[in-house]
Amino acid sequence: MRILRLGGVLAAGAFLLVGCGIGPADGNGVARDAAAKAAERLNKELGHRERVRDAGTIAATEMPESDEQVRITPVAWKGRTSGDEKATIDVRVVAAVGNRDAATTEGDATICYRYTLQLYRYTEYEEIDCPKIGRPPVPSAAAVLKLPPDAAKRLETALFSATPETLGSKVRAAFPQEGIGVDTITSEGTLVAAVGVAAERDCVVMIKTTDGRTRQISYDRIWLEPGELGCRVTLYTSPPR
């Protein structure tokens, strides 16, 4: 959770108006400005999307914490950031202003916004009509697929008993879960295997040499990024130079 603090923004705007001799600022207007700034800040924080996530997970894990003056609440969400799909999250922003040191009148504002998120794109948002909903449902985060904690050990065990003929089946049997990618090859007698979850840049590459020894291969993680090699045996057989 990220903390969003806008109390200083509210106070500063009110102080400027009083300092110029105009008198107390209209609290409702100051609150509305604060809500708009909070929405803009959230759009920047949601930013460029680089992971496959469903809208509920984003709403559950990436909304800022409320402070005493600004509260952001997800009220609806659907879709996911995968391929050409889009996720949308509707939020309600409530800002309240007290009569602090006579700088403003008391006031509040409630504004709703829709955020549209797409993989490898920057988040966009727009103001929308607030839905007539009192207490919205609470979003929940879906489990994110990752390699198991013992992935290196599983791969080592699979390679230890594998032959060139059984390499692919042995490694796949060690990682049967849907969504985990397996890539294998035999190169000049050396068995090479890469296993990973592409969307999470999660990857283990290991070899078994002709003398039966196994060794995990290190690589520059930038080559896991979209458009690069990905989690493939080429991280060992044909690494970028």
Side-chain angles (χ1 to χ4, degrees):
M1 300 286 287
R2 287 190 283 274
I3 298 175
L4 183 64
R5 300 194 181 281
L6 289 171
V9 173
L10 295 171
F15 176 79
L16 287 174
L17 291 172
V18 173
C20 293
I22 298 176
D26 174 62
N28 291 334
V30 173
R32 183 173 180 85
D33 288 345
K37 289 182 182 297
E40 181 181 10
R41 172 73 176 274
L42 177 57
N43 188 66
K44 291 179 179 178
E45 292 194 353
L46 290 174
H48 193 266
R49 307 309 303 182
E50 298 181 350
R51 296 288 188 275
V52 175
R53 294 287 187 272
D54 64 76
T57 296
I58 299 170
T61 61
E62 299 188 41
M63 294 295 106
E65 293 182 2
S66 300
D67 65 20
E68 62 181 6
Q69 293 174 315
V70 178
R71 183 172 71 254
I72 296 179
T73 305
V75 294
W77 49 89
K78 66 178 180 179
R80 61 173 185 164
T81 58
S82 177
D84 292 331
E85 297 179 59
K86 295 181 180 180
T88 60
I89 302 173
D90 296 348
V91 304
R92 181 170 59 204
V93 183
V94 178
V97 180
N99 185 13
R100 181 179 297 177
D101 299 326
T104 69
T105 62
E106 291 188 357
D108 59 69
T110 299
I111 311 176
C112 293
Y113 298 89
R114 173 166 296 160
Y115 293 82
T116 301
L117 309 92
Q118 187 174 0
L119 197 61
Y120 310 134
R121 298 288 189 274
Y122 283 97
T123 302
E124 299 178 347
Y125 78 117
E126 62 181 337
E127 185 175 336
I128 61 172
D129 292 334
C130 285
K132 296 180 179 180
I133 178 172
R135 180 174 296 179
V138 177
S140 59
V144 176
L145 178 63
K146 294 183 178 180
L147 286 175
D150 63 343
K153 185 62 179 178
R154 289 193 194 189
L155 187 53
E156 181 181 25
T157 300
L159 285 175
F160 183 78
S161 61
T163 66
E165 293 74 26
T166 64
L167 175 60
S169 60
K170 288 278 188 179
V171 175
R172 173 48 70 190
F175 298 92
Q177 190 171 3
E178 184 178 354
I180 294 181
V182 170
D183 189 31
T184 61
I185 195 174
T186 300
S187 176
E188 298 181 352
T190 295
L191 306 188
V192 188
V195 296
V197 180
E200 298 302 315
R201 323 307 195 257
D202 196 7
C203 180
V204 176
V205 182
M206 193 171 290
I207 65 171
K208 175 184 174 183
T209 55
T210 54
D211 60 6
R213 296 182 181 182
T214 58
R215 175 166 60 91
Q216 187 169 340
I217 301 302
S218 60
Y219 54 85
D220 189 336
R221 295 191 63 81
I222 195 172
W223 300 114
L224 299 179
E225 295 296 320
E228 304 298 343
L229 293 180
C231 187
R232 306 296 301 274
V233 293
T234 45
L235 289 170
Y236 171 74
T237 59
S238 303
R241 302 298 184 186

